[in-house]
Amino acid sequence: MPSQASDKNAPPPLPEPLGVPVADSHTHLDMQSSTVEEGLAKAAAVGVTTVVQVGCDVRSSQWAAETAAAHEAVHATVALHPNEAPRIVHGDPGGDWSRQGAREPGGDAALETALAEIDRLAALPHVKGIGETGLDYFRTGPEGKAAQERSFRAHIEIAKRHGKTLVIHDRDAHADVLRILKEEGAPERTVFHCYSGDAAMAEVCARAGYFMSFAGNVTFKNAQPLRDALAVAPLDLVLVETDAPFLTPAPYRGRPNAPYLVPVTVRAMAAVRGVEEDVLAAALAENTARAFNY
Ligand SMILES: [Zn+2]
Ligand SMILES: [Zn+2]
């Protein structure tokens, strides 16, 4: 007899296919249980024909670049995650991002070495973006702030020098992220992944021309401020993503997420905007291609 726990871990069923194909603008295939081929096939079966595979550390960035080179449907971004940068400097074993266990403190030199590899990967043709980078004050405490900010500024510089898209991870750090972008000068194309600001911030992003990528949490009951932001964001700056395996949309919250669940979020977003699903999907597809210059 299946227990409640095993139901909760079961992959949600395939949604109805979208009439117009879209891209998952931010996913982590390397953290999902299916193979890349299975994941892409399931996604394509419901109209999610393109994915942006996002790197979080040196190893996963190398993997993202290799995977994008091997699959037409995959584009890569490369970076040290804002929670990874302090870990490299301080050797903090960290939370659930760390797949390599505790590390020796590496100091600033180790951060420079890791950034040099991100810089090398940034030149590759299948690498379309630099990210996810930014600031995370939720998981990283005050002791990690300096390393995080240094890494963020370095990633902005790399993105601009290579003409690649900047992918921002901003958790509980809106004001500082916007300030640093302004101080450094944002790259031509900047994406706020898993957009988490309110409607007022969406207006700031709109004026700056930043893309806002909405994830499954836009469907959560308590996420009205996020839906208010989606309602006012210019349609040509809106993207959709899974951030899979995280942030599975309702009604599957808590179960494993994957790119094939994008249609669930697209339908919720269409309802918020009061537009036809196909109209929104066409805009999302066009916007993602423009955001990542593919
Ligand atoms: Zn993120
Ligand atoms: Zn992510």
Side-chain angles (χ1 to χ4, degrees):
M1 193 175 77
S3 70
Q4 227 172 338
S6 70
D7 284 341
K8 259 200 89 67
N9 292 330
L14 279 175
E16 279 295 304
L18 292 168
V20 175
V22 301
D24 179 349
S25 86
H26 187 115
T27 195
H28 302 281
L29 295 169
D30 51 330
M31 301 182 195
Q32 295 161 35
S33 57
S34 54
T35 66
V36 170
E37 288 73 15
E38 287 164 358
L40 294 176
K42 272 179 93 169
V46 295
V48 182
T49 49
T50 305
V51 307
V52 179
Q53 169 65 26
V54 175
C56 293
D57 56 19
V58 165
R59 201 175 54 166
S60 65
S61 293
Q62 291 165 338
W63 189 86
E66 285 161 22
T67 305
H71 298 274
E72 198 69 38
V74 180
H75 303 292
T77 73
V78 297
L80 311 174
H81 192 280
N83 293 325
E84 174 71 6
R87 220 166 279 155
I88 292 171
V89 175
H90 302 294
D92 178 352
D96 55 2
W97 285 99
S98 179
R99 280 156 293 140
Q100 296 166 305
R103 289 186 186 150
E104 295 300 312
D108 290 348
L111 182 59
E112 290 311 316
T113 304
L115 285 167
E117 176 62 5
I118 297 302
D119 192 3
R120 186 189 71 81
L121 294 168
L124 298 173
H126 301 290
V127 173
K128 300 298 183 191
I130 305 303
E132 53 187 296
T133 180
L135 302 173
D136 187 323
Y137 295 164
F138 181 78
R139 281 183 201 255
T140 293
E143 71 289 344
K145 246 178 159 173
Q148 205 168 70
E149 179 166 335
R150 210 174 122 221
S151 175
F152 182 29
R153 289 184 191 272
H155 281 86
I156 296 172
E157 188 276 326
I158 292 170
K160 288 201 286 193
R161 185 156 37 79
H162 290 277
K164 303 280 163 111
T165 304
L166 187 70
V167 177
I168 304 268
H169 170 105
D170 159 25
R171 190 151 184 203
D172 295 351
H174 305 322
D176 283 352
V177 166
L178 290 169
R179 174 180 56 81
I180 290 170
L181 277 173
K182 210 170 177 183
E183 285 171 5
E184 295 291 325
E188 199 183 320
R189 298 175 304 278
T190 296
V191 175
F192 275 73
H193 119 75
C194 190
Y195 179 82
S196 59
D198 58 10
M201 179 169 160
E203 278 160 19
V204 174
C205 289
R207 277 195 294 276
Y210 301 152
F211 291 92
M212 290 162 263
S213 181
F214 289 84
N217 55 343
V218 76
T219 68
F220 294 175
K221 217 174 259 169
N222 63 358
Q224 192 54 45
L226 212 47
R227 287 186 285 276
D228 295 343
L230 172 60
V232 300
L235 186 59
D236 63 346
L237 292 178
V238 173
L239 310 181
V240 68
E241 67 172 72
T242 56
D243 201 17
F246 313 107
L247 296 174
T248 315
Y252 307 116
R253 193 173 175 178
R255 289 166 69 173
N257 200 5
Y260 76 88
L261 290 171
V262 160
V264 178
T265 303
V266 170
R267 286 178 184 127
M269 289 169 69
V272 169
R273 302 268 327 187
V275 294
E276 292 293 323
E277 177 184 315
D278 286 359
V279 171
L280 179 63
L284 293 169
E286 207 267 322
N287 297 346
T288 316
R290 193 158 30 86
F292 289 95
N293 198 27
Y294 60 78

